[in-house]
């Protein structure tokens, strides 16, 4: 099927997911490019701003040709981070820390997401738990991760749901 079907071949080559001992790696073997999709990244930021819990404030962003990262914090120092990569012309890889983590998969509005929960309390003096919800939209060629540090899953899932619903209709 891979060799005979153009659709299967293109979608398979656009990204690969590899499970490693230390994490889950997303490979993007596209052409390297300096292009970013600033308009789409800006749209993502506006959706997130509307859906973060009310006690969180937008504190910073980091944008370069490969990735856009948006950071939100509350008074307690808890953090929500959204990472966006436009895959249309990206070559590289991203590894999600899934070592010794609880990993589940769920479908939200037709989009499969990977939910990773990890408790770092045992390895640091500072208690820290982390939720990461990660997905790739093959149709629109993007990868997104929504991360919550010391944040409940119930606080980050509305952000994920709104992003998926809004971006699939864009």
């Amino acid at each position: 099927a891979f060799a005979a079907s153009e659709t299967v071949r293109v979608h398979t080559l656009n990204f690969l997911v590899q499970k490693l001992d230390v994490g889950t790696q997303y490979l993007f073997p596209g052409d390297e490019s300096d292009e970013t999709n600033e308009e789409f990244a800006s749209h993502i930021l506006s959706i997130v701003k509307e859906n973060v819990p009310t006690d969180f404030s937008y504190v910073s962003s980091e944008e370069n040709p490969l990735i856009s990262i948006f950071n939100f914090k509350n008074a307690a120092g808890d953090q929500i981070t959204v990472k966006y990569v436009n895959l249309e012309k990206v070559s590289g890889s991203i590894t999600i820390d899934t070592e010794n983590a609880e990993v589940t998969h769920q479908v939200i509005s037709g989009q499969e997401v990977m939910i990773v929960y990890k408790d770092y309390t045992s390895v640091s003096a500072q208690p820290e738990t982390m939720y990461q919800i990660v997905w790739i939209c093959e149709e629109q060629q993007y990868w997104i991760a929504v991360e919550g540090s010391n944040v409940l899953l119930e606080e980050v899932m509305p952000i994920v749901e709104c992003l998926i619903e809004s971006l699939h209709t864009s």
Side-chain angles (χ1 to χ4, degrees):
F2 178 78
S5 171
E6 175 74 14
T7 303
V8 171
R9 187 170 56 253
V10 168
H11 285 293
T12 302
L13 290 177
N14 280 343
F15 73 91
L16 299 169
V17 178
Q18 181 178 15
K19 296 198 187 288
L20 307 169
D21 290 341
V22 295
T24 301
Q25 185 176 49
Y26 292 84
L27 302 165
F28 314 116
D31 298 326
E32 291 189 30
S33 171
D34 288 341
E35 292 182 26
T36 59
N37 189 340
E38 292 176 18
E39 186 177 315
F40 199 67
S42 176
H43 182 56
I44 289 169
L45 178 58
S46 68
I47 294 167
V48 176
K49 282 181 175 179
E50 291 175 13
N51 291 284
V52 292
T54 56
D55 62 328
F56 280 80
S57 299
Y58 174 63
V59 292
S60 67
S61 66
E62 182 180 326
E63 297 183 60
N64 65 51
L66 299 177
I67 190 167
S68 297
I69 302 171
F70 308 110
N71 298 300
F72 296 81
K73 284 189 178 179
N74 66 11
D78 304 332
Q79 187 166 331
I80 294 175
T81 302
V82 178
K83 299 176 182 179
Y84 157 73
V85 177
N86 177 358
L87 302 177
E88 287 183 293
K89 296 183 180 179
V90 169
S91 175
S93 68
I94 298 172
T95 302
I96 301 297
D97 181 6
T98 55
E99 182 179 27
N100 300 319
E102 293 176 29
V103 179
T104 59
H105 296 268
Q106 184 176 335
V107 176
I108 300 170
S109 297
Q111 174 66 57
E112 183 177 343
V113 300
M114 177 175 70
I115 302 170
V116 179
Y117 170 76
K118 190 155 184 178
D119 185 351
Y120 293 95
T121 304
S122 60
V123 293
S124 75
Q126 197 90 1
E128 183 177 6
T129 58
M130 173 79 76
Y131 277 102
Q132 297 177 88
I133 299 91
V134 181
W135 70 95
I136 293 176
C137 178
E138 291 180 54
E139 182 180 305
Q140 293 179 302
Q141 296 290 295
Y142 65 78
W143 175 93
I144 292 185
V146 177
E147 303 173 351
S149 177
N150 291 328
V151 177
L152 298 173
L153 182 61
E154 294 78 23
E155 293 178 290
V156 292
M157 284 307 282
I159 300 167
V160 171
E161 291 165 355
C162 285
L163 280 168
I164 289 171
E165 290 172 12
S166 296
L167 298 178
H168 281 261
T169 58
S170 297

PDB file of all heavy atoms in Angstrom, residues 50-61:
ATOM      1  N   GLU A  50      -8.079  33.402  25.108  1.00  0.00           N
ATOM      2  CA  GLU A  50      -9.508  33.370  25.446  1.00  0.00           C
ATOM      3  C   GLU A  50      -9.883  32.177  26.326  1.00  0.00           C
ATOM      4  O   GLU A  50     -10.927  32.199  26.964  1.00  0.00           O
ATOM      5  CB  GLU A  50     -10.348  33.314  24.169  1.00  0.00           C
ATOM      6  CG  GLU A  50     -10.300  34.573  23.348  1.00  0.00           C
ATOM      7  CD  GLU A  50     -11.039  34.430  22.025  1.00  0.00           C
ATOM      8  OE1 GLU A  50     -11.793  33.449  21.845  1.00  0.00           O
ATOM      9  OE2 GLU A  50     -10.855  35.309  21.163  1.00  0.00           O
ATOM     10  N   ASN A  51      -9.029  31.138  26.366  1.00  0.00           N
ATOM     11  CA  ASN A  51      -9.427  29.901  27.023  1.00  0.00           C
ATOM     12  C   ASN A  51      -8.557  29.466  28.192  1.00  0.00           C
ATOM     13  O   ASN A  51      -8.851  28.442  28.804  1.00  0.00           O
ATOM     14  CB  ASN A  51      -9.493  28.772  25.981  1.00  0.00           C
ATOM     15  CG  ASN A  51     -10.647  28.983  25.031  1.00  0.00           C
ATOM     16  OD1 ASN A  51     -11.793  28.760  25.366  1.00  0.00           O
ATOM     17  ND2 ASN A  51     -10.337  29.485  23.838  1.00  0.00           N
ATOM     18  N   VAL A  52      -7.498  30.213  28.518  1.00  0.00           N
ATOM     19  CA  VAL A  52      -6.723  29.843  29.707  1.00  0.00           C
ATOM     20  C   VAL A  52      -7.554  30.162  30.945  1.00  0.00           C
ATOM     21  O   VAL A  52      -8.411  31.056  30.908  1.00  0.00           O
ATOM     22  CB  VAL A  52      -5.352  30.562  29.792  1.00  0.00           C
ATOM     23  CG1 VAL A  52      -4.413  30.102  28.707  1.00  0.00           C
ATOM     24  CG2 VAL A  52      -5.487  32.052  29.841  1.00  0.00           C
ATOM     25  N   PRO A  53      -7.325  29.458  32.038  1.00  0.00           N
ATOM     26  CA  PRO A  53      -8.045  29.801  33.275  1.00  0.00           C
ATOM     27  C   PRO A  53      -7.824  31.278  33.618  1.00  0.00           C
ATOM     28  O   PRO A  53      -6.775  31.858  33.318  1.00  0.00           O
ATOM     29  CB  PRO A  53      -7.399  28.879  34.321  1.00  0.00           C
ATOM     30  CG  PRO A  53      -6.899  27.709  33.523  1.00  0.00           C
ATOM     31  CD  PRO A  53      -6.450  28.290  32.214  1.00  0.00           C
ATOM     32  N   THR A  54      -8.812  31.885  34.245  1.00  0.00           N
ATOM     33  CA  THR A  54      -8.798  33.334  34.494  1.00  0.00           C
ATOM     34  C   THR A  54      -7.643  33.800  35.379  1.00  0.00           C
ATOM     35  O   THR A  54      -7.252  34.962  35.305  1.00  0.00           O
ATOM     36  CB  THR A  54     -10.127  33.792  35.123  1.00  0.00           C
ATOM     37  OG1 THR A  54     -10.362  33.036  36.320  1.00  0.00           O
ATOM     38  CG2 THR A  54     -11.266  33.625  34.149  1.00  0.00           C
ATOM     39  N   ASP A  55      -7.084  32.909  36.201  1.00  0.00           N
ATOM     40  CA  ASP A  55      -5.978  33.331  37.058  1.00  0.00           C
ATOM     41  C   ASP A  55      -4.624  33.269  36.349  1.00  0.00           C
ATOM     42  O   ASP A  55      -3.597  33.579  36.936  1.00  0.00           O
ATOM     43  CB  ASP A  55      -5.946  32.512  38.354  1.00  0.00           C
ATOM     44  CG  ASP A  55      -5.719  31.030  38.137  1.00  0.00           C
ATOM     45  OD1 ASP A  55      -6.160  30.492  37.098  1.00  0.00           O
ATOM     46  OD2 ASP A  55      -5.104  30.391  39.015  1.00  0.00           O
ATOM     47  N   PHE A  56      -4.592  32.916  35.062  1.00  0.00           N
ATOM     48  CA  PHE A  56      -3.356  32.868  34.290  1.00  0.00           C
ATOM     49  C   PHE A  56      -3.240  34.107  33.407  1.00  0.00           C
ATOM     50  O   PHE A  56      -4.221  34.575  32.847  1.00  0.00           O
ATOM     51  CB  PHE A  56      -3.309  31.621  33.393  1.00  0.00           C
ATOM     52  CG  PHE A  56      -2.917  30.378  34.139  1.00  0.00           C
ATOM     53  CD1 PHE A  56      -3.844  29.693  34.897  1.00  0.00           C
ATOM     54  CD2 PHE A  56      -1.618  29.894  34.084  1.00  0.00           C
ATOM     55  CE1 PHE A  56      -3.490  28.554  35.599  1.00  0.00           C
ATOM     56  CE2 PHE A  56      -1.253  28.760  34.780  1.00  0.00           C
ATOM     57  CZ  PHE A  56      -2.193  28.085  35.541  1.00  0.00           C
ATOM     58  N   SER A  57      -2.008  34.604  33.298  1.00  0.00           N
ATOM     59  CA  SER A  57      -1.730  35.768  32.457  1.00  0.00           C
ATOM     60  C   SER A  57      -0.676  35.400  31.418  1.00  0.00           C
ATOM     61  O   SER A  57       0.238  34.621  31.689  1.00  0.00           O
ATOM     62  CB  SER A  57      -1.173  36.922  33.294  1.00  0.00           C
ATOM     63  OG  SER A  57      -2.104  37.309  34.262  1.00  0.00           O
ATOM     64  N   TYR A  58      -0.806  36.019  30.259  1.00  0.00           N
ATOM     65  CA  TYR A  58       0.174  35.835  29.186  1.00  0.00           C
ATOM     66  C   TYR A  58       1.455  36.537  29.611  1.00  0.00           C
ATOM     67  O   TYR A  58       1.433  37.726  29.943  1.00  0.00           O
ATOM     68  CB  TYR A  58      -0.397  36.444  27.905  1.00  0.00           C
ATOM     69  CG  TYR A  58       0.544  36.457  26.731  1.00  0.00           C
ATOM     70  CD1 TYR A  58       1.029  35.271  26.177  1.00  0.00           C
ATOM     71  CD2 TYR A  58       0.939  37.657  26.162  1.00  0.00           C
ATOM     72  CE1 TYR A  58       1.870  35.286  25.085  1.00  0.00           C
ATOM     73  CE2 TYR A  58       1.771  37.685  25.062  1.00  0.00           C
ATOM     74  CZ  TYR A  58       2.247  36.496  24.532  1.00  0.00           C
ATOM     75  OH  TYR A  58       3.080  36.522  23.451  1.00  0.00           O
ATOM     76  N   VAL A  59       2.587  35.811  29.636  1.00  0.00           N
ATOM     77  CA  VAL A  59       3.831  36.410  30.109  1.00  0.00           C
ATOM     78  C   VAL A  59       4.901  36.550  29.033  1.00  0.00           C
ATOM     79  O   VAL A  59       5.715  37.469  29.102  1.00  0.00           O
ATOM     80  CB  VAL A  59       4.418  35.655  31.328  1.00  0.00           C
ATOM     81  CG1 VAL A  59       3.531  35.829  32.548  1.00  0.00           C
ATOM     82  CG2 VAL A  59       4.656  34.196  31.034  1.00  0.00           C
ATOM     83  N   SER A  60       4.921  35.642  28.065  1.00  0.00           N
ATOM     84  CA  SER A  60       5.968  35.764  27.042  1.00  0.00           C
ATOM     85  C   SER A  60       5.682  34.847  25.863  1.00  0.00           C
ATOM     86  O   SER A  60       4.864  33.933  25.941  1.00  0.00           O
ATOM     87  CB  SER A  60       7.339  35.402  27.631  1.00  0.00           C
ATOM     88  OG  SER A  60       7.393  34.030  27.970  1.00  0.00           O
ATOM     89  N   SER A  61       6.417  35.137  24.792  1.00  0.00           N
ATOM     90  CA  SER A  61       6.382  34.248  23.637  1.00  0.00           C
ATOM     91  C   SER A  61       7.785  34.161  23.073  1.00  0.00           C
ATOM     92  O   SER A  61       8.628  35.032  23.303  1.00  0.00           O
ATOM     93  CB  SER A  61       5.406  34.743  22.578  1.00  0.00           C
ATOM     94  OG  SER A  61       5.855  35.952  22.030  1.00  0.00           O
TER      95      SER A  61
END
